[in-house]
């Protein structure tokens, strides 16, 4: 097991990157109170350690809606008939590659999975439900909730600024 160590400067870089990853290294270094070479070296290390999974552009759905349509967001609860590890893995393996499935969570207690799906319209949701849920004999119950309005969306992880402010070094076991 590899031990990963991050410190206050790493936490500052991670927080800045998850707020806006499009900043130049020069701007990032200035905001993190580091030299540009140190900033670049640390960011490369954080990527190599797998702490930065990927960098993406977050699109504004309400601004895009006039151009591509609003779409339909559904939060879907799935309960399986049998919940053995093999059945849970099989369901997950089937739904995760589907482009309409934006997020997939195994949850407990209650349903086995919560999915966040985005489709063009109700007929597209029906096609997705038939493709992913109805065709699986192990799916016992499907309960969908359709979003009327998204009041908040924030993909940032809370990094615990208070630990960084105390100068605490964190160790993660991989």
């Amino acid at each position: 097991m590899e031990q990963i160590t991050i410190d206050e400067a790493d936490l500052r870089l991670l927080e800045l990157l998850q707020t806006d990853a499009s900043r130049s290294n020069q701007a990032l270094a200035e905001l993190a109170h580091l030299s540009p070479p140190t900033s670049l070296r640390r960011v490369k290390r954080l990527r190599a350690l797998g702490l930065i999974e990927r960098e993406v552009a977050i699109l504004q759905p309400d601004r895009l809606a006039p151009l591509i349509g609003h779409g339909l967001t559904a939060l879907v609860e799935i309960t399986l008939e049998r919940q053995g590890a093999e059945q849970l893995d099989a369901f997950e393996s089937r739904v995760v590659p589907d482009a309409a499935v934006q997020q997939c969570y195994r949850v407990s207690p209650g349903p086995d999975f919560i999915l966040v799906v985005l489709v063009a319209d109700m007929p597209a949701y029906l096609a997705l439900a038939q493709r992913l849920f109805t065709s699986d004999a192990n799916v016992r119950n499907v309960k969908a909730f359709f979003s009327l309005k998204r009041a908040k969306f924030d993909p940032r992880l809370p990094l615990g600024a208070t630990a960084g402010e105390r100068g605490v070094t964190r160790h993660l076991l991989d």
Side-chain angles (χ1 to χ4, degrees):
M1 233 197 265
E2 178 189 357
Q3 184 174 348
I4 300 172
T5 303
I6 59 173
D7 62 14
E8 178 183 351
D10 292 326
L11 288 171
R12 282 195 312 265
L13 286 168
L14 289 169
E15 181 64 35
L16 289 164
L17 286 169
Q18 71 175 342
T19 302
D20 183 359
S22 69
R23 291 184 177 106
S24 68
N25 181 58
Q26 184 75 29
L28 184 63
E30 186 176 322
L31 290 168
H33 310 292
L34 300 169
S35 70
T38 299
S39 172
L40 187 61
R41 185 183 85 258
R42 282 177 175 259
V43 169
K44 284 182 179 178
R45 177 180 170 266
L46 294 168
R47 281 191 187 107
L49 290 171
L51 297 178
I52 300 172
E53 183 176 337
R54 60 189 167 137
E55 296 175 25
V56 298
I58 298 173
L59 307 180
Q60 181 23 276
D62 292 338
R63 301 275 309 216
L64 280 168
L67 304 170
I68 63 171
H70 283 279
L72 182 65
T73 300
L75 304 157
V76 185
E77 291 182 359
I78 305 293
T79 303
L80 301 180
E81 189 68 41
R82 294 172 309 285
Q83 291 86 12
E86 187 177 309
Q87 290 88 4
L88 292 167
D89 289 343
F91 179 81
E92 195 173 282
S93 294
R94 190 172 64 263
V95 300
V96 166
D98 195 290
V101 177
Q102 292 188 314
Q103 298 174 53
C104 174
Y105 299 92
R106 282 190 194 184
V107 296
S108 180
D112 298 305
F113 290 91
I114 301 279
L115 306 179
V116 177
V117 301
L118 180 62
V119 291
D121 51 25
M122 193 55 83
Y125 174 77
L126 179 59
L128 172 119
Q130 289 176 337
R131 181 174 68 246
L132 297 180
F133 315 140
T134 307
S135 64
D136 184 348
N138 193 37
V139 173
R140 180 177 44 166
N141 190 38
V142 177
K143 190 173 184 181
F145 303 88
F146 298 97
S147 173
L148 301 176
K149 176 186 174 192
R150 182 176 84 177
K152 180 180 180 179
F153 173 78
D154 190 350
R156 295 177 299 162
L157 293 177
L159 296 177
T162 55
E165 291 166 3
R166 292 191 307 260
V168 172
T169 299
R170 297 188 181 187
H171 302 283
L172 306 170
L173 294 178
D174 185 23

